[in-house]
Amino acid sequence: MDYKISVSIMSGAEDGNMLEYSLMRGDGRKTATGWVLTIGRHDENDIYLRHDLYTSRYHAEIICDRGAWYLRDLDSTNGTFFENPDDYFNERRIYGTHSLTENQLFRIGRTWLQFESIE
Amino acid sequence: MRHFFIGVEHIFVTLLQIHGSIAASVMQECGLTPEYVVNAVRRKISKGGKERTFVDLRRTIRAETILDIAQEIALEAGRREVNERDVLLAILEEGQSVPVRVLAALGLNDTQKLIDMARSYTMNVDSQQPYIRVIYGAEFDVDEPLDRHQLLLLRRMFYGYDRIRIERRLTGGYSDATLVVVTPIDGDNRQHAAIAVKINRVDRIYDEAKRYEQHVKNKLPSMTARIEEKPYVLEASGIAGLKYTLVTGSDRVPRDLRMVLAKWSAYDIGDWLQKQLFPTFGHTWWRQNRPYRFQAWQEYDWLLPPVLTLEYMTEERSEKVAEVTQLKAPIKRTHLRHIACDDVVALSKFEVHRVLPESNTIQLAISQGDGATRAYQIEVRGVDFEGVTYYRREKIELIYGRVLQTRNEELLNALYALQPDFQAEFRTIRIAPDLEIPNPVIAYEKLLDDYVNGSLCTVHGDLHPGNIMIGPNRSAFLIDFAHSREGHTIGDWAMLEISLMSDYIAPLLPDSSWDGLREFVQRLIDLNGDDSLLDDSQPSLSALGVVAQIRQIVAQCLVVPDVWSEYYVALTFCSLRALSWQKTVSVTARRLLFLVAGVALHELNTRFKPLPPPKTPSPDDTEIP
């Protein structure tokens, strides 16, 4: 089976760039129960954020596990954040693995990204 | 912003910064000032890094997309050139960019409505008319109208608008300034964001503007009320005005803490102070404290009445007086002790601290230093300004005056006005069969010379519910910086506690007799000891919860943890200050605050002794064997 997602860059120098990834095309890494895509400033990453110096080289992962989507922070220096519904200007930093919902905005370093899975 | 690319946010900020642009007008119509929106966008995206990762300054993909949309809008309208409205519409229609997300977070999530508003504006409206009409809002008390000069000044300040609506006075100023909320309305009948205007004498306004520059400007949180423009001066009448840009919710009504006192519970108020006000300003103000050792008079004497109040006397008349006491600056306060009512004094070499032509009064000061907080003031009334002119900071050669009252007399008279059922001139007051507290109008004097170990930071200097404003999402901001300075950190909180006692707790008291108040302050003593004793069976007692929460803030600012002496010193003087405000503070509140001062002194005597003057070993003490 194939996995397909799009990640839109929502801020910074690459604002407006929409990136598509699929397992079939050779993106990411297949696991026993799903698929993993890596995010970071190193060019080995699937989602490669070259212009954001607040991004760690290996910053976070988008994971599909048994059909559910997750975001995992890889102990990044400047953090991975979700929008905070209580205070828009103070985002919620996440540690470890958190579930990812459709069209969710999250921040890697200083770059905002939006996640969307494609059926 | 130190970004090496041009994104939608930069385009949007530019649109807002064009004076009178459609983007700025739409924001104002929604009750937000353009500056506020710009700050919000900046806050969301932060500054860029120091190093650039590519050489040229390029546009982001989204910026290109938006400019393409703008081009299409222009073409549809039969134009080749894109104008500011096209760009704004394109940003709103695209709907995914940082600025649109920020607007949604600020409550403007109805993009279609914004688009309609942007479409309806005529561009470059030149609505400048020679005469600006003044209308009054429903909340404005017409029995207390503004005078001709104030209205003229307001017209000057809002030049370019069609008319202004004066919503209401912001009461609560214990100063003599006039504070009003003004909504400017332009020729298209659009209401812009309300602005608070302070009107006062030119020197006071300049003084506040200077304080704002020195102490406040660089220490404000990114989103708060600001003084954006230089003061406006009306030369002929000697008054001037300052604008504080306000941040209001979608209903456009700026609210101060005083307005919500009746609506919020004690817990809500205290919680808001702790979770909004303290963290918002604490970062650059109250938490930036540095050790500061001072004598109580240095920080708090200015809150008390003048040490002497004199009636001006001409030199010829003074020659007929048998005995004239010579007072020549510099002089110690203790030398004034033997001076009594009706004595005639000759003052020389004192510096003029303040000139008040409207009441024919000048204020001199004994202490050195500057600003509003100069200690030991002498007030000279009945000065004839026709004959002589006095300037601030000038040293007077010689002034004669008859003593109208001394400070002790004024305090004692203020206490008599409260009809005490105890001996007003006794050193202590019995408040329970087994409990006597010091009489503050007697005991304060010794306290002035005590040393206080505290901390120093930027303080507001006049923190009360009328100066504390509540913005969107219950955010906190402050106005009125006339007393801002570097000062005793917890003085602000003592002042706030006292004004809440007077404005919030006193009206809730079931029994305003001295007996009732004595019973109530015993609860306060319990609270001083342990806040878990709070009883919420009565509104007045549960209202003490606000005090308990202020104390939790103070606990974080004490220079030595759990040593409250610095706070009780501040509390004593802040409560004594209100004793002579016969016009603005109710009898109940003044009685209560009198007892609060006594309780603070009681705590100082029993639990937290302030430091005696430092004992450095003097050479005489050394015994030579």
Side-chain angles (χ1 to χ4, degrees):
Chain A
M1 98 171 250
D2 190 16
Y3 294 99
K4 238 176 164 179
I5 63 164
S6 81
V7 173
S8 306
I9 300 182
M10 302 300 287
S11 75
E14 289 185 272
D15 187 12
N17 205 355
M18 193 170 100
L19 311 162
E20 286 193 13
Y21 298 92
S22 85
L23 177 61
M24 297 280 261
R25 219 178 60 189
D27 299 319
R29 165 165 58 87
K30 190 166 168 31
T31 62
T33 51
W35 186 45
V36 176
L37 278 170
T38 59
I39 311 174
R41 194 158 45 85
H42 195 284
D43 62 7
E44 281 176 9
N45 287 288
D46 300 300
I47 303 167
Y48 164 37
L49 302 171
R50 77 195 78 184
H51 298 304
D52 183 357
L53 299 177
Y54 289 81
T55 307
S56 295
R57 270 163 304 184
Y58 299 98
H59 196 112
E61 293 173 340
I62 292 175
I63 302 168
C64 183
D65 186 68
R66 298 184 180 88
W69 294 94
Y70 300 94
L71 182 64
R72 181 153 84 103
D73 180 70
L74 301 173
D75 293 332
S76 59
T77 317
N78 294 309
T80 302
F81 299 82
F82 279 153
E83 294 266 65
N84 182 353
D86 295 327
D87 183 354
Y88 181 72
F89 295 99
N90 274 320
E91 295 96 17
R92 189 161 57 84
R93 181 163 183 170
I94 61 160
Y95 299 92
T97 310
H98 284 256
S99 73
L100 202 52
T101 53
E102 205 63 15
N103 291 321
Q104 180 149 17
L105 280 165
F106 58 94
R107 178 157 70 83
I108 300 289
R110 284 197 172 167
T111 307
W112 281 96
L113 300 172
Q114 189 173 33
F115 161 84
E116 200 178 339
S117 69
I118 302 169
E119 291 302 316
Chain B
M1 290 191 205
R2 211 195 267 156
H3 291 158
F4 299 107
F5 57 90
I6 295 178
V8 187
E9 52 274 30
H10 307 103
I11 298 173
F12 185 67
V13 164
T14 312
L15 287 179
L16 285 176
Q17 284 173 336
I18 301 172
H19 186 74
S21 71
I22 292 177
S25 306
V26 169
M27 290 306 111
Q28 291 198 319
E29 194 181 340
C30 295
L32 299 170
T33 65
E35 293 81 7
Y36 177 69
V37 180
V38 169
N39 274 328
V41 171
R42 290 206 167 128
R43 188 165 162 196
K44 191 64 185 174
I45 57 183
S46 333
K47 239 193 236 166
K50 282 198 183 86
E51 304 135 64
R52 52 170 77 196
T53 48
F54 39 84
V55 188
D56 52 334
L57 192 64
R58 62 174 80 165
R59 290 188 195 128
T60 63
I61 297 172
R62 199 180 303 278
E64 292 286 358
T65 311
I66 278 167
L67 292 177
D68 287 347
I69 299 175
Q71 188 70 56
E72 272 172 38
I73 296 174
L75 285 174
E76 274 170 29
R79 279 178 285 112
R80 284 225 191 130
E81 281 91 22
V82 171
N83 67 29
E84 52 149 320
R85 191 210 319 268
D86 302 334
V87 179
L88 178 64
L89 289 174
I91 292 175
L92 293 171
E93 282 179 13
E94 194 267 350
Q96 296 279 304
S97 59
V98 173
V100 174
R101 299 200 315 260
V102 169
L103 288 180
L106 296 177
L108 307 182
N109 40 18
D110 188 348
T111 320
Q112 191 54 47
K113 193 177 147 205
L114 294 176
I115 290 176
D116 293 342
M117 280 161 74
R119 285 220 173 95
S120 69
Y121 267 94
T122 40
M123 274 210 294
N124 299 324
V125 197
D126 209 359
S127 63
Q128 299 200 345
Q129 293 180 358
Y131 188 79
I132 299 160
R133 263 195 306 143
V134 175
I135 49 179
Y136 294 97
E139 285 179 69
F140 189 84
D141 181 5
V142 285
D143 291 338
E144 216 189 323
L146 297 172
D147 69 28
R148 198 166 51 87
H149 299 296
Q150 292 172 329
L151 289 175
L152 186 59
L153 178 67
L154 283 174
R155 291 201 171 102
R156 202 66 72 90
M157 293 176 81
F158 290 93
Y159 183 78
Y161 289 99
D162 178 63
R163 58 189 190 277
I164 54 176
R165 188 172 62 232
I166 302 174
E167 305 289 357
R168 60 192 161 80
R169 282 175 190 266
L170 286 174
T171 55
Y174 296 129
S175 66
D176 42 10
T178 301
L179 259 170
V180 286
V181 177
V182 176
T183 304
I185 303 168
D186 68 19
D188 283 358
N189 246 340
R190 283 175 212 277
Q191 303 188 9
H192 292 250
I195 287 171
V197 177
K198 182 175 190 178
I199 301 175
N200 207 343
R201 301 188 45 76
V202 176
D203 55 333
R204 304 278 181 88
I205 290 290
Y206 272 136
D207 187 55
E208 177 167 354
K210 200 177 107 199
R211 279 168 192 278
Y212 178 81
E213 287 286 324
Q214 274 180 353
H215 302 293
V216 183
K217 194 178 175 185
N218 299 323
K219 292 183 181 159
L220 285 177
S222 58
M223 296 163 66
T224 190
R226 278 160 199 282
I227 300 177
E228 296 281 353
E229 297 168 51
K230 295 261 177 288
Y232 291 76
V233 181
L234 201 62
E235 288 83 2
S237 59
I239 59 169
L242 268 184
K243 282 180 182 175
Y244 305 92
T245 58
L246 290 176
V247 181
T248 57
S250 50
D251 57 354
R252 291 196 209 127
V253 183
R255 295 178 300 163
D256 59 30
L257 184 59
R258 188 171 303 246
M259 293 176 73
V260 303
L261 286 181
K263 296 176 201 150
W264 290 9
S265 71
Y267 178 82
D268 282 348
I269 297 166
D271 192 55
W272 185 83
L273 293 173
Q274 265 204 56
K275 298 217 174 109
Q276 290 289 341
L277 183 63
F278 183 62
T280 307
F281 288 86
H283 180 60
T284 46
W285 290 32
W286 303 299
R287 291 187 130 143
Q288 297 287 323
N289 44 22
R290 313 177 279 289
Y292 175 42
R293 185 177 159 82
F294 57 94
Q295 278 184 292
W297 65 264
Q298 292 173 291
E299 283 284 318
Y300 295 111
D301 183 89
W302 69 282
L303 299 173
L304 300 173
V307 276
L308 285 179
T309 307
L310 308 174
E311 170 92 62
Y312 183 77
M313 188 181 253
T314 56
E315 199 171 341
E316 299 89 71
R317 279 188 54 208
S318 73
E319 281 163 5
K320 295 174 190 150
V321 178
E323 199 185 333
V324 177
T325 312
Q326 302 288 332
L327 296 177
K328 190 177 173 205
I331 192 171
K332 281 188 178 161
R333 178 174 54 98
T334 47
H335 288 176
L336 301 176
R337 240 180 230 157
H338 60 276
I339 293 175
C341 194
D342 264 354
D343 283 0
V344 174
V345 294
L347 302 170
S348 56
K349 304 288 177 207
F350 286 96
E351 201 179 289
V352 176
H353 170 54
R354 208 172 254 170
V355 183
L356 307 161
E358 66 275 15
S359 56
N360 286 358
T361 300
I362 57 172
Q363 286 172 351
L364 311 172
I366 295 185
S367 71
Q368 303 296 311
D370 67 338
T373 58
R374 281 185 72 170
Y376 306 139
Q377 293 165 9
I378 297 178
E379 192 167 300
V380 186
R381 293 185 189 164
V383 179
D384 176 18
F385 285 98
E386 297 287 311
V388 217
T389 322
Y390 293 97
Y391 299 99
R392 205 173 156 194
R393 303 268 164 104
E394 160 193 41
K395 274 201 176 146
I396 50 152
E397 268 314 308
L398 193 59
I399 285 188
Y400 291 97
R402 183 185 295 278
V403 178
L404 292 173
Q405 60 183 353
T406 62
R407 176 186 280 174
N408 285 342
E409 285 164 353
E410 184 163 354
L411 287 171
L412 213 49
N413 285 336
L415 178 55
Y416 283 132
L418 300 177
Q419 299 172 322
D421 62 354
F422 48 86
Q423 291 294 324
E425 56 281 355
F426 278 17
R427 304 188 73 84
T428 56
I429 304 152
R430 184 168 296 280
I431 61 165
D434 55 347
L435 183 59
E436 282 190 351
I437 60 171
N439 182 351
V441 303
I442 310 286
Y444 82 91
E445 205 170 354
K446 204 190 133 287
L447 188 62
L448 283 171
D449 292 321
D450 279 333
Y451 278 82
V452 179
N453 269 339
S455 60
L456 188 73
C457 74
T458 304
V459 293
H460 180 271
D462 193 15
L463 201 62
H464 60 70
N467 282 339
I468 302 173
M469 310 289 287
I470 299 163
N473 299 326
R474 292 196 168 187
S475 58
F477 51 106
L478 299 172
I479 58 167
D480 198 347
F481 303 105
H483 291 92
S484 297
R485 60 199 169 92
E486 300 300 301
H488 187 202
T489 310
I490 56 178
D492 267 350
W493 298 100
M495 233 172 245
L496 183 61
E497 177 177 329
I498 292 308
S499 47
L500 285 170
M501 284 268 186
S502 127
D503 299 356
Y504 179 60
I505 296 178
L508 294 172
L509 290 172
D511 181 0
S512 64
S513 72
W514 283 105
D515 277 334
L517 292 168
R518 276 190 284 260
E519 198 180 312
F520 182 75
V521 294
Q522 287 175 48
R523 300 285 85 76
L524 190 65
I525 295 177
D526 296 342
L527 173 75
N528 290 345
D530 178 6
D531 63 11
S532 63
L533 292 172
L534 274 184
D535 166 3
D536 50 10
S537 57
Q538 280 180 37
S540 59
L541 291 180
S542 67
L544 272 177
V546 177
V547 174
Q549 299 218 45
I550 290 179
R551 299 290 175 87
Q552 286 175 22
I553 296 172
V554 174
Q556 300 175 50
C557 302
L558 292 175
V559 73
V560 183
D562 297 327
V563 175
W564 288 78
S565 44
E566 51 166 328
Y567 191 64
Y568 289 123
V569 169
L571 216 49
T572 304
F573 292 109
C574 291
S575 19
L576 272 181
R577 178 198 204 189
L579 201 59
S580 42
W581 283 335
Q582 309 194 354
K583 280 183 200 148
T584 44
V585 181
S586 72
V587 172
T588 315
R590 277 182 280 144
R591 284 179 172 177
L592 173 65
L593 293 181
F594 170 81
L595 292 174
V596 166
V599 166
L601 284 160
H602 169 73
E603 298 290 346
L604 284 169
N605 282 347
T606 51
R607 294 200 297 150
F608 303 105
K609 291 212 184 292
L611 303 169
K615 280 200 179 122
T616 40
S618 104
D620 303 340
D621 294 345
T622 322
E623 283 179 27
I624 300 160

